[in-house]
Amino acid sequence: MIDIKYILKEEDFLQANLYFFKKEGKLKQIIIRTWLAYLFIISIIIGFLVWKEEMLMALVLVCILAIITFFHSGRMRRHYFHYYKKKVKVYESRFFKEVKLKVTDTHLHNESVAGQSNVFLAQISSIDETQNYFFIKLKFEGIIIPKSELNNVSELRNDLIELAKKVNVQYQEDLNWKW
């Protein structure tokens, strides 16, 4: 069915981490929670300043809140980009090493310098495609397949779509995904 070899780079691990972090909705939750915390704290201070009749300072804080609202999402994205860039250093021994992926009728066999894994196809929870990657999400880990390392992307896409149907999981095309 599927039998491919490819090389993973640091950028591949980074993009996989960012993709799953954003896809699981954690980024959006963190952005909203921190913004609400800023809103709550600054609103209390503004209320106190209005009560003390310090309108100029209250107006300054309203402007600061507007600036925070405008730039907060981008700042949080940059923060987590750098956080995951440091976090993927854990996989440094796997950078620029060959990975072999073979899918049979019942198992998914993955072999790399990190070792070999042989899991049942039922362990697949989703298969995602972005503009540059295929991600096979297993119950406990994920498999990264960079398209730049493949000779026949469309053939692999068709095989992965068939695999998703076979194991009854969602195949999601997210070609416009951006961090």
Side-chain angles (χ1 to χ4, degrees):
M1 201 167 173
I2 297 174
D3 191 3
I4 56 174
K5 295 178 186 178
Y6 53 92
I7 306 242
L8 289 174
K9 301 179 234 23
E10 179 179 6
E11 181 68 15
D12 303 332
F13 287 96
L14 176 62
Q15 291 300 315
N17 278 279
L18 294 174
Y19 179 77
F20 288 120
F21 181 67
K22 188 174 180 182
K23 181 184 175 196
E24 292 169 359
K26 292 178 183 176
L27 178 65
K28 192 172 191 175
Q29 288 176 343
I30 289 170
I31 289 172
I32 290 171
R33 283 184 191 163
T34 55
W35 181 79
L36 287 174
Y38 287 134
L39 177 68
F40 179 74
I41 291 168
I42 292 175
S43 295
I44 289 174
I45 295 171
I46 289 171
F48 178 75
L49 290 172
V50 168
W51 179 65
K52 287 287 198 173
E53 296 180 8
E54 294 283 340
M55 297 302 168
L56 181 61
M57 282 304 292
L59 185 60
V60 168
L61 282 179
V62 167
C63 292
I64 289 172
L65 185 59
I67 291 169
I68 288 172
T69 300
F70 186 73
F71 291 108
H72 182 63
S73 179
R75 188 184 72 79
M76 293 303 289
R77 286 178 195 278
R78 280 190 306 280
H79 170 75
Y80 280 98
F81 178 84
H82 293 295
Y83 169 77
Y84 279 108
K85 193 158 179 72
K86 289 178 187 174
K87 188 177 175 184
V88 298
K89 297 292 185 195
V90 176
Y91 305 110
E92 195 168 26
S93 64
R94 295 169 64 180
F95 298 163
F96 302 104
K97 303 286 194 287
E98 186 176 74
V99 177
K100 297 175 186 174
L101 176 67
K102 185 175 185 174
V103 179
T104 64
D105 289 337
T106 58
H107 286 82
L108 189 144
H109 182 73
N110 190 19
E111 185 179 327
S112 69
V113 294
Q116 296 181 10
S117 65
N118 202 19
V119 296
F120 288 106
L121 294 181
Q123 293 292 315
I124 298 173
S125 58
S126 71
I127 301 174
D128 300 283
E129 178 184 3
T130 65
Q131 185 175 0
N132 298 316
Y133 296 94
F134 291 105
F135 298 115
I136 301 174
K137 180 81 166 126
L138 303 173
K139 303 284 187 213
F140 300 108
E141 63 179 310
I143 296 174
I144 310 161
I145 305 171
K147 289 181 179 178
S148 62
E149 294 288 320
L150 302 174
N151 294 329
N152 197 342
V153 174
S154 60
E155 184 179 321
L156 180 62
R157 178 183 299 114
N158 293 335
D159 289 342
L160 290 174
I161 290 170
E162 281 182 41
L163 178 62
K165 287 178 186 174
K166 179 179 178 177
V167 295
N168 198 26
V169 296
Q170 180 182 6
Y171 180 89
Q172 183 175 346
E173 254 185 37
D174 201 359
L175 300 176
N176 295 324
W177 178 82
K178 291 183 180 158
W179 173 248

